[in-house]
Amino acid sequence: MAAVTTDVTEITVIGDDDTGLIARVTSLLFERGLNIEDLDQAVRDDVFRMYLAVDTTDMVCTEETLRNDLHDLGDDLGLDVQVRFPADRENQQIAVLVTKESHCLEALFEAWANDELGADIGVVIGNHDDLQPLAEHYDVPFHDIGDEGGQQNEDQLLELLAEYDVDLIVLARYMRILSPNVVFRYEDRIINVHPSLLPAFPGAEAYRQAVEEGVRVAGVTGHYVTTDLDQGPIITQRAFDVPDDADLDEMKRRGQPLEADALLEAVQLHLNGDVSVHRGRTSVRENGTDYQLGLPDEIEEFTPDRPVDGIGSAVAKDQ
């Protein structure tokens, strides 16, 4: 998806794949004087998704009329159409998805309580109820959408995301994979933290994989979620040394604080509009120096600057 400016109207269309869907939607927009600045579409597991960024400067109807017309078209075509005008994004709502580990949720709550988040945590959703007391401590609604084995009810999840008018979904060590039916509806608006330096060790048991492979440096990655497991655009990373005798517990002890740190920074980058996605990669805008992103600046003084390629040819010229 191309990077777009923050003053565009965003339209997301989700439904069963069929012919003619793109033409029907774009025709409606042209008829109402909208200029399409970006269009991206994909199909995964027979789920159709189209994202449009449109300029409403010359629109010949009201925002309410456009929203109603698009919803009516969606009803006719069996599609779910979401419309987000610029004003809809001014007071952003976050849904945090959790399982049992608390450290990332704690970091988000602390930043929110200290007015360092830039948005409201509107709801916490879990596939277990272990972290309900933590949510209640911050007076945030908690909903358990998991069965006895922790399998999520995605229909219930989508209902809750709509009920709380969620702008951003944060996976705070949420140990379930989201289907295209969820991911497509919130493209580039779902952030996860993975306990490895992606693209190494995707999937489950990343710390265990790192121990088994004998790595000397491990880390964590904050990234956008796509329909490809742990392959979404990378936003932030943190790294730590792995002692020769490190076991799984030691890896978690070193990694968990960095998970919380990388996730929180990725969320702040997104909420502040300081990161954009283009062709599967992120880029940081002019405020990029305000963030750590990867290793701390202090590491530069320990990084060798010689030798580098070219020294040999330079010596040859002197002879």
Side-chain angles (χ1 to χ4, degrees):
M1 186 183 301
V4 296
T5 57
T6 56
D7 58 352
V8 298
T9 293
E10 299 176 332
I11 301 170
T12 305
V13 181
I14 304 291
D16 295 335
D17 188 27
D18 200 358
T19 58
L21 299 180
I22 296 176
R24 291 289 299 276
V25 175
T26 56
S27 294
L28 184 150
L29 299 179
F30 286 133
E31 290 168 1
R32 285 149 184 78
L34 281 77
N35 180 49
I36 298 175
E37 296 192 356
D38 184 44
L39 187 155
D40 185 66
Q41 64 88 26
V43 177
R44 178 64 65 92
D45 296 339
D46 295 323
V47 178
F48 168 82
R49 186 268 302 159
M50 178 169 61
Y51 167 88
L52 304 102
V54 300
D55 181 2
T56 59
T57 302
D58 298 321
M59 185 169 63
V60 296
C61 64
T62 66
E63 291 185 356
E64 182 180 3
T65 297
L66 177 63
R67 195 191 301 270
N68 290 336
D69 288 349
L70 284 168
H71 287 166
D72 289 343
L73 178 63
D75 291 340
D76 290 342
L77 299 176
L79 301 172
D80 179 23
V81 182
Q82 300 175 2
V83 185
R84 299 173 75 231
F85 293 103
D88 297 336
R89 302 191 295 270
E90 290 178 358
N91 298 309
Q92 298 192 71
Q93 295 292 314
I94 298 174
V96 185
L97 273 58
V98 298
T99 295
K100 295 183 177 183
E101 297 180 16
S102 66
H103 53 286
C104 288
L105 180 60
E106 289 178 28
L108 292 166
F109 272 143
E110 288 176 5
W112 181 46
N114 293 326
D115 294 324
E116 298 172 354
L117 202 55
D120 287 329
I121 299 177
V123 62
V124 176
I125 303 171
N127 63 323
H128 293 279
D129 63 2
D130 296 57
L131 300 186
Q132 184 169 350
L134 182 57
E136 291 176 344
H137 175 74
Y138 285 91
D139 199 26
V140 173
F142 182 94
H143 296 270
D144 182 2
I145 62 166
D147 61 18
E148 291 183 359
Q151 182 60 46
Q152 65 199 4
N153 183 327
E154 281 205 345
D155 290 338
Q156 186 180 0
L157 172 60
L158 288 171
E159 290 173 1
L160 289 168
L161 296 175
E163 176 184 343
Y164 287 93
D165 197 20
V166 170
D167 297 287
L168 176 66
I169 302 169
V170 180
L171 308 185
R173 299 299 288 131
Y174 184 63
M175 309 304 290
R176 287 290 172 181
I177 297 172
L178 300 178
S179 78
N181 197 34
V182 176
V183 175
F184 277 168
R185 296 169 193 269
Y186 295 89
E187 185 122 3
D188 293 342
R189 290 192 287 142
I190 308 174
I191 295 178
N192 180 45
V193 64
H194 183 74
S196 80
L197 290 172
L198 292 175
F201 311 132
E205 300 290 345
Y207 286 143
R208 186 182 302 278
Q209 292 180 65
V211 171
E212 291 173 351
E213 292 296 331
V215 301
R216 297 300 183 187
V217 176
V220 303
T221 302
H223 67 98
Y224 284 112
V225 173
T226 65
T227 54
D228 296 313
L229 179 63
D230 295 331
Q231 296 182 43
I234 292 170
I235 310 172
T236 57
Q237 292 188 303
R238 299 288 189 270
F240 60 90
D241 282 327
V242 180
D244 189 59
D245 59 349
D247 57 13
L248 184 58
D249 288 339
E250 176 65 12
M251 294 288 284
K252 290 182 177 180
R253 187 189 68 79
R254 291 177 176 238
Q256 285 184 347
L258 297 180
E259 291 172 23
D261 192 50
L263 179 62
L264 177 58
E265 185 177 73
V267 169
Q268 291 171 326
L269 275 157
H270 176 92
L271 293 172
N272 293 336
D274 290 331
V275 64
S276 60
V277 181
H278 183 60
R279 298 184 183 276
R281 291 175 60 104
T282 60
S283 60
V284 179
R285 296 177 177 147
E286 60 271 12
N287 296 325
T289 55
D290 297 336
Y291 303 92
Q292 181 174 324
L293 300 180
L295 292 171
D297 293 338
E298 292 78 7
I299 202 69
E300 286 292 328
E301 63 180 283
F302 301 104
T303 304
D305 60 1
R306 293 185 64 181
V308 295
D309 275 352
I311 299 299
S313 58
V315 172
K317 289 180 180 179
D318 293 337
Q319 294 178 344

